[in-house]
Amino acid sequence: MKRSAARISIALAPALALALALALVLAAARPVIAKSGGKWKDTRVACLDLSRAMADTKDGKTAQAMLQKDFDAKQKDLDLKSADLKAKVAGLETIKQSSPNEYAALKDKYERELVALTEQFTAYQEQLDKKEQGLSAKIASKLQGVVGSIAKDRGIDMVLAKDGVFWTDASFDVTPQVIEEYDKLPPLF
């Protein structure tokens, strides 16, 4: 009995998900009304493509260039070390038959070097991730002020992240205005 109930639940899951999604879409289609100061009023809503705003501002482009430069330097270092290790490993075959003990010792040594190279790759990746998070946090903080200013100037009550909005008319997207106003401020980097 429990198995058939589980099968029915699994079989109904897509239908329930569709019904829930439809209910959410219909609820969102109704006019948005908020209570403000004891009076009901229409709520003005806009949306922002946060990824685009972060990437397309001057600070965003500068941050991307900084990260790319750092990445390229780290990648060059790893490529040189990797090529060196490959050359060493390729040379192992020449002594495999003539000197088995030396071969085994070198093989162990090169395996340790490979582990160290892998660990260095992971460390570089963590450094780049940390740097990206720091730069992004600074840009996001500055963006928040710009978005708040634009919202107040235009009487917008709420700015939603565009990636969380199922559909919106392009006239609700304030991303271009946010980028324009952001770039008028002094650069972070």
Side-chain angles (χ1 to χ4, degrees):
M1 183 68 172
K2 289 182 181 179
R3 279 193 176 153
S4 62
R7 272 193 227 125
I8 291 171
S9 298
I10 292 171
L12 291 177
L16 290 173
L18 180 61
L20 179 60
L22 183 58
L24 289 173
V25 168
L26 292 174
R30 294 188 349 217
V32 178
I33 298 177
K35 191 170 185 179
S36 175
K39 298 179 183 177
W40 291 96
K41 69 169 195 159
D42 288 339
T43 301
R44 296 197 57 207
V45 178
C47 63
L48 173 72
D49 184 339
L50 185 58
S51 297
R52 179 175 160 220
M54 299 237 351
D56 288 356
T57 60
K58 289 177 186 174
D59 283 338
K61 291 175 183 177
T62 300
Q64 288 173 4
M66 291 167 59
L67 289 167
Q68 188 63 48
K69 182 179 176 183
D70 201 9
F71 171 81
D72 290 345
K74 289 176 178 3
Q75 187 63 48
K76 184 178 179 180
D77 180 50
L78 289 172
D79 288 345
L80 289 172
K81 290 177 179 176
S82 178
D84 181 51
L85 185 58
K86 280 184 182 181
K88 290 177 182 178
V89 170
L92 271 180
E93 291 303 314
T94 59
I95 61 167
K96 188 174 185 178
Q97 297 297 328
S98 62
S99 182
N101 290 339
E102 184 181 358
Y103 171 81
L106 286 174
K107 183 179 175 198
D108 287 344
K109 178 182 175 190
Y110 297 159
E111 286 174 354
R112 287 190 303 276
E113 287 181 27
L114 178 61
V115 168
L117 188 61
T118 303
E119 290 171 351
Q120 187 170 21
F121 168 79
T122 302
Y124 281 169
Q125 187 63 45
E126 289 172 358
Q127 291 169 7
L128 287 169
D129 288 347
K130 186 175 181 179
K131 185 173 184 177
E132 181 180 21
Q133 289 171 1
L135 295 171
S136 294
K138 289 178 182 178
I139 295 169
S141 178
K142 187 174 170 183
L143 267 175
Q144 189 172 14
V146 172
V147 170
S149 177
I150 289 173
K152 286 178 185 171
D153 290 348
R154 298 187 182 181
I156 297 170
D157 300 302
M158 184 184 323
V159 179
L160 304 172
K162 192 172 184 179
D163 64 346
V165 176
F166 186 72
W167 180 88
T168 185
D169 186 271
S171 65
F172 287 94
D173 188 356
V174 294
T175 307
Q177 295 82 18
V178 168
I179 294 169
E180 182 180 330
E181 291 300 314
Y182 182 103
D183 285 341
K184 289 179 183 177
L185 298 173
L188 291 171
F189 318 108

